[in-house]
Amino acid sequence: IWMKYQEAIVVMMNRIVGTPQDTSWLFASSSIRTMVPFSSLKKITRMFDACHNLEVLKVSGWISASSYAFTNCNNLRVIQGNLSLDTSGGSVNLKGAFAGCAKLEEVTINNLYLDVSFADCPLLSLASLSNMVAKAINTSTITITVHPDVYTKIVDESNAEWSALLDAASQKQINFATV
């Protein structure tokens, strides 16, 4: 996906240099469709909140996503790169990080150790969920809340691939729930 000239100007005007500690609200409500690669970020609370045109986010390093990082990015389909979840600063609620992301299909989350919700993401892929489970580092039971359409696939015993995800998750103390 290519950027329009105006989108490139927005990105360049807000370009991220180095590794800032807090980029909250940096691109919130902007009209960009694709976010070009940038390096590691420590905290992106609401960084992309209400970026209704954002479709693809490419990360060349690591992003530590916090509460509401991608809220209402209703056209976001893919987050390429590595995403970890950050609860520094006292936040332990990641249930809103992907709220309103109805088109989200692919996301790579490493080091999952807290509950997270994809309740608004009916297109979330098996590959994304499998990666989350495989790379989870939780030491106690956690819950991944998914959209009812995704949950139906997970509990469908006639679908071996999705059923295997449920088995792998139970071995790592990960539960799936729906709304």
Side-chain angles (χ1 to χ4, degrees):
I1 297 176
W2 292 93
M3 284 188 228
K4 295 178 184 175
Y5 176 77
Q6 295 86 353
E7 294 170 332
I9 295 299
V10 169
V11 171
M12 289 306 296
M13 294 298 290
N14 292 302
R15 74 179 179 268
I16 299 166
V17 179
T19 307
Q21 294 295 313
D22 188 354
T23 55
S24 300
W25 302 94
L26 184 62
F27 294 103
S29 299
S30 84
S31 61
I32 58 174
R33 290 179 300 133
T34 301
M35 184 64 207
V36 295
F38 51 85
S39 61
S40 302
L41 298 175
K42 294 195 183 271
K43 184 178 179 185
I44 62 166
T45 302
R46 294 191 182 268
M47 182 176 180
F48 297 99
D49 188 8
C51 284
H52 299 293
N53 294 326
L54 184 64
E55 296 177 28
V56 177
L57 174 65
K58 296 179 181 180
V59 181
S60 61
W62 286 85
I63 291 183
S64 292
S66 302
S67 300
Y68 309 107
F70 303 100
T71 300
N72 296 318
C73 291
N74 50 338
N75 283 306
L76 182 61
R77 295 180 301 104
V78 177
I79 300 174
Q80 295 175 344
N82 296 305
L83 193 65
S84 63
L85 302 177
D86 178 29
T87 57
S88 63
S91 173
V92 292
N93 182 3
L94 298 169
K95 294 182 180 179
F98 301 96
C101 295
K103 294 183 180 178
L104 186 63
E105 299 171 26
E106 299 289 333
V107 59
T108 302
I109 296 180
N110 296 302
N111 305 326
L112 182 65
Y113 62 96
L114 292 171
D115 297 349
V116 65
S117 178
F118 295 95
D120 294 341
C121 309
L123 305 175
L124 194 62
S125 71
L126 173 60
S128 294
L129 290 169
S130 295
N131 180 73
M132 281 180 235
V133 169
K135 295 185 178 180
I137 59 168
N138 54 305
T139 56
S140 60
T141 302
I142 60 173
T143 300
I144 300 173
T145 303
V146 294
H147 188 276
D149 293 352
V150 175
Y151 189 78
T152 299
K153 294 176 193 175
I154 292 171
V155 297
D156 181 2
E157 293 178 6
S158 67
N159 188 327
E161 289 179 312
W162 284 91
S163 186
L165 172 65
L166 195 57
D167 293 338
S170 67
Q171 292 175 14
K172 292 191 100 172
Q173 297 180 312
I174 299 173
N175 297 322
F176 285 100
T178 191
V179 289

